[in-house]
Amino acid sequence: MKNTSLCYIEHDGKFLMMYRNKKENDENEGKYIGLGGKFLENESPYECVCREVYEEAELKLINPVYRGVVTFVSDSWESQQMHLFYADRFFGSPCECDEGELMWVDKDKIFDLPLWEGDKIFLELMLSPIPFFSLKLEYKGDELVGAFLDGKPIDKTTPKTPILVSACLLGVCCRYDGKSNENERIKALRDKYDLIPFCPEQLGGLTTPRLPSEILNEKVVMKDGRDVTGEYQKGANEALGIARIFGARAAILKENSPSCGTRQIHSGKFDGELTDGMGICAKTLKDNGIFVVSENEAELYFK
Ligand code: SF4
């Protein structure tokens, strides 16, 4: 299996794309891809991507971000392990390249270009906030016949990224008082992402409605003094299990909740005050490598 590195370079809202129209017997002929190529002997992915980008475009990358590994399996071409990088800092301006035509393409137009089907999947993943990923793409000829994200099959025809979302944000009446925190901006993300609703407090076995709870001295206590830390942790563990079943690598969570808060939670004194801290579920997800963000910051990351 050959090893390659590939980099997508962003500048001023555009991506530097190469239209592959110059090389003989090019398996990418007629397609637009990023810049990169095969490893030389003893090269690391990072060394390879920096060298290839310089050779192809005379750009010196500054701290390209290693975003994931893509394994290509094909009945027509040698299998390939491709190391995917993203960069938005570099020295120089693109030169002529003898492998294809280099051009800056508006970020929102790259998916309209002739791309390999599988490239659309890893580009979506690269542009999303999910952490380092492993993607496997299976081709028969030019047709994508299988796609697996972190070992789990994904729908290659509508490759939406799965994201866990606090159910109350999607309109589920699962709050302690039997109401929801319905948020139209978060609901609108369903056009682009697979939103997976969950409520860790219900998953932990608590009823709805229920007395409000707050965190004090690392324990979750209901307003009547009952220690419900175990229920909260159980719900957090169940949420982590759901994330793993669906392959979700990111979560949008309701701020200020003792379960879902990502930056702030209530003080623990039931006085209406907030303090810096994370809810039990948000912390459990984060500690297990899931990117967590509140509904207030979601638009910065999910577009
Ligand atoms: S636990 Fe999370 S999902 Fe459930 S009601 Fe509270 S904030 Fe919403």
Side-chain angles (χ1 to χ4, degrees):
M1 184 183 292
K2 72 180 173 188
N3 269 288
T4 62
S5 286
L6 187 69
C7 190
Y8 286 84
I9 302 169
E10 183 174 5
H11 181 62
D12 276 349
K14 296 173 193 286
F15 272 98
L16 185 60
M17 303 294 286
M18 187 189 295
Y19 177 47
R20 303 286 292 242
N21 60 353
K22 295 188 182 173
K23 219 167 123 183
E24 278 189 22
N25 299 321
D26 184 0
E27 60 202 65
N28 292 305
E29 187 173 357
K31 297 281 196 290
Y32 285 76
I33 62 170
L35 279 67
K38 276 192 257 183
F39 282 24
L40 296 180
E41 186 71 18
N42 297 331
E43 259 186 342
S44 69
Y46 187 91
E47 290 164 338
C48 173
V49 79
C50 291
R51 176 187 54 73
E52 283 283 347
V53 169
Y54 189 75
E55 285 177 5
E56 291 180 347
E58 290 184 8
L59 298 179
K60 282 196 170 175
L61 297 178
I62 303 170
N63 297 332
V65 181
Y66 194 6
R67 291 292 287 114
V69 174
V70 184
T71 306
F72 293 92
V73 178
S74 160
D75 63 351
S76 311
W77 304 97
E78 183 187 350
S79 299
Q80 183 185 150
Q81 198 97 270
M82 186 269 277
H83 305 263
L84 179 67
F85 288 82
Y86 165 89
D88 58 3
R89 296 172 64 215
F90 55 86
F91 290 119
S93 344
C95 64
E96 282 280 310
C97 175
D98 56 10
E99 294 191 9
E101 213 174 312
L102 290 171
M103 62 192 78
W104 291 103
V105 179
D106 285 341
K107 189 173 176 175
D108 57 3
K109 301 261 172 26
I110 55 173
F111 290 93
D112 301 333
L113 299 170
L115 304 176
W116 291 99
E117 279 307 301
D119 290 20
K120 293 178 188 171
I121 299 176
F122 69 66
L123 282 168
E124 287 276 8
L125 293 167
M126 183 192 79
L127 294 171
S128 80
I130 72 164
F132 192 88
F133 59 86
S134 165
L135 178 71
K136 183 177 182 186
L137 300 171
E138 294 177 345
Y139 280 92
K140 272 199 180 147
D142 287 357
E143 189 192 351
L144 181 66
V145 293
F148 303 83
L149 178 61
D150 296 330
K152 296 185 181 64
I154 56 173
D155 183 347
K156 59 188 169 24
T157 53
T158 52
K160 289 183 179 178
T161 304
I163 302 173
L164 285 190
V165 181
S166 296
C168 57
L169 292 171
L170 298 177
V172 179
C173 295
C174 51
R175 267 175 35 158
Y176 73 94
D177 56 4
K179 296 180 182 164
S180 80
N181 295 305
E182 191 164 5
N183 183 314
E184 292 302 330
R185 288 176 298 116
I186 302 300
K187 281 169 69 180
L189 292 172
R190 69 187 160 209
D191 293 341
K192 193 133 182 245
Y193 300 92
D194 274 332
L195 304 184
I196 301 160
F198 77 110
C199 174
E201 291 174 23
Q202 289 186 336
L203 287 168
L206 296 171
T207 57
T208 305
R210 54 192 172 274
L211 285 176
S213 302
E214 298 193 1
I215 299 176
L216 188 61
N217 299 329
E218 300 184 3
K219 292 221 173 302
V220 191
V221 181
M222 270 190 166
K223 204 168 181 184
D224 63 0
R226 180 179 150 205
D227 183 343
V228 283
T229 311
E231 286 89 337
Y232 271 65
Q233 190 59 59
K234 178 176 185 299
N237 296 345
E238 294 291 337
L240 181 60
I242 291 173
R244 287 180 173 153
I245 289 167
F246 286 94
R249 306 286 305 276
I252 300 173
L253 303 176
K254 177 73 188 77
E255 195 59 284
N256 305 339
S257 150
S259 282
C260 295
T262 63
R263 290 181 185 273
Q264 288 205 306
I265 52 174
H266 285 280
S267 67
K269 299 175 191 154
F270 296 93
D271 57 3
E273 296 295 315
L274 294 171
T275 184
D276 290 348
M278 294 187 89
I280 303 291
C281 182
K283 184 166 185 321
T284 299
L285 295 176
K286 185 170 181 237
D287 288 348
N288 283 278
I290 294 181
F291 176 81
V292 297
V293 66
S294 78
E295 78 278 18
N296 305 322
E297 297 170 302
E299 279 170 305
L300 290 174
Y301 298 98
F302 302 98
K303 294 175 180 159

